[in-house]
Amino acid sequence: MAALFRILVILVVAVLIGGLMYAGVGASDSSAGLGGFEDEEGRPQRPEGGDFRPEHDEGREGGGFGFPGSVIKALVLMSIAGGVYSAMAWAGKKSARKTSMP
Amino acid sequence: MSNTNRTKLFLDIALFAAFLITMDPHFSGLAIHEWLSLAAAATVIAHLLLSWSWIVEMTKRIFGKGLNGARINYILNWLLFIDGVLIMLSGIMISEAALPAMGITLPMNFAWRRLHDMSANLSLIIMGLHIAMHWNWIVTTFKRVFFGGGKQQSGAMAKQEA
């Protein structure tokens, strides 16, 4: 029962955040006149043929486990972010040690 | 080695693998990218449930004195959660495989596509920081689970208790 309540809390928070974002995107689109595909009556539509992705996204639906370039990019970016944090934490500890020395 | 820590480690390894695979739709294909992301979202809920006591404790003490590292960790976790919600929401809004397979078609909007890319790129940085902040726990738990450190420690703990 407690787990169900916790799941509910997580989902409610996610829905609140998602709702705010949805409202934000809707508001920015209506003010900038961006984005949607609309029919003659102004109802939103998907583009004909479903080809909504940018050009470089061709072949996404094909799959087949090609060269995982973005996986490597992701690992490199995460390593850099983690490395920067670790370096900052290490420098912070070092300076704290120096100031605590007599 | 508690069962919770063991479960957390296996769950986190699975989640990390899913995160990497979903980061490259070219590699996995769009259908796997979308279905795996939905499954990963459910796994994130399990990940949060396993850390629930820490979340509740930190939420109560967030404005207390000290706890600088924990406070940064807490804020970073919130950023990761918000970014995750944005990735999922924008992904659902531009879904071309999972939602249509369920008979749901949503209106398309280029803003969601851009948000999906931006939030995914941002998640790499936040995830890198998240992993770095928990690196000691990851290494320690990994060693205990896979190299038997847990048995030694539980033996030592039993001796202490005796």
Side-chain angles (χ1 to χ4, degrees):
Chain A
M1 198 65 191
L4 278 177
F5 173 73
R6 289 168 185 178
I7 291 170
L8 193 70
V9 169
I10 293 166
L11 290 177
V12 166
V13 173
V15 166
L16 285 174
I17 294 167
L20 280 173
M21 285 165 181
Y22 189 86
V25 170
S28 68
D29 270 2
S30 59
S31 63
L34 285 174
F37 295 92
E38 295 174 349
D39 62 9
E40 299 92 31
E41 292 171 14
R43 288 178 302 213
Q45 297 282 306
R46 289 198 164 222
E48 285 297 317
D51 193 16
F52 181 66
R53 299 186 298 274
E55 282 173 20
H56 66 270
D57 263 9
E58 283 167 11
R60 273 177 73 184
E61 70 270 29
F65 291 93
F67 180 73
S70 294
V71 174
I72 293 164
K73 184 191 102 179
L75 281 171
V76 169
L77 278 173
M78 281 192 284
S79 304
I80 290 170
V84 167
Y85 168 79
S86 302
M88 283 170 66
W90 178 78
K93 275 181 189 170
K94 202 179 173 187
S95 66
R97 260 186 228 149
K98 270 186 185 174
T99 50
S100 66
M101 275 181 182
Chain B
M1 164 66 45
S2 71
N3 275 339
T4 310
N5 271 347
R6 191 186 299 269
T7 312
K8 259 187 194 175
L9 183 73
F10 284 119
L11 197 74
D12 291 355
I13 290 171
L15 203 54
F16 184 66
F19 179 77
L20 284 181
I21 294 169
T22 52
M23 272 293 146
D24 196 349
H26 292 277
F27 174 61
S28 61
L30 198 60
I32 292 175
H33 170 79
E34 291 186 13
W35 286 110
L36 192 61
S37 301
L38 289 172
T43 316
V44 166
I45 292 176
H47 177 88
L48 292 174
L49 288 177
L50 286 170
S51 305
W52 192 260
S53 52
W54 182 85
I55 295 168
V56 171
E57 193 60 32
M58 272 310 296
T59 306
K60 285 178 188 167
R61 296 167 59 190
I62 187 67
F63 297 113
K65 284 181 181 174
L67 300 168
N68 283 337
R71 190 176 290 124
I72 292 168
N73 189 16
Y74 182 79
I75 293 165
L76 197 73
N77 289 342
W78 263 108
L79 288 176
L80 194 56
F81 182 73
I82 292 167
D83 192 51
V85 170
L86 185 52
I87 292 173
M88 288 307 299
L89 178 68
S90 56
I92 287 168
M93 295 305 291
I94 61 170
S95 170
E96 292 180 33
L99 258 66
M102 289 188 264
I104 304 165
T105 311
L106 296 170
M108 281 269 185
N109 187 321
F110 279 118
W112 289 116
R113 169 75 217 189
R114 282 197 300 268
L115 268 176
H116 193 63
D117 288 345
M118 275 168 53
S119 53
N121 287 333
L122 183 64
S123 75
L124 290 173
I125 295 166
I126 306 175
M127 184 64 86
L129 294 172
H130 184 71
I131 291 170
M133 288 203 88
H134 293 86
W135 189 249
N136 286 338
W137 179 88
I138 294 166
V139 172
T140 310
T141 315
F142 193 89
K143 278 181 186 169
R144 283 178 190 168
V145 169
F146 292 105
F147 301 107
K151 283 177 191 168
Q152 287 168 16
Q153 206 206 10
S154 58
M157 282 169 78
K159 275 182 188 173
Q160 276 182 350
E161 282 170 14

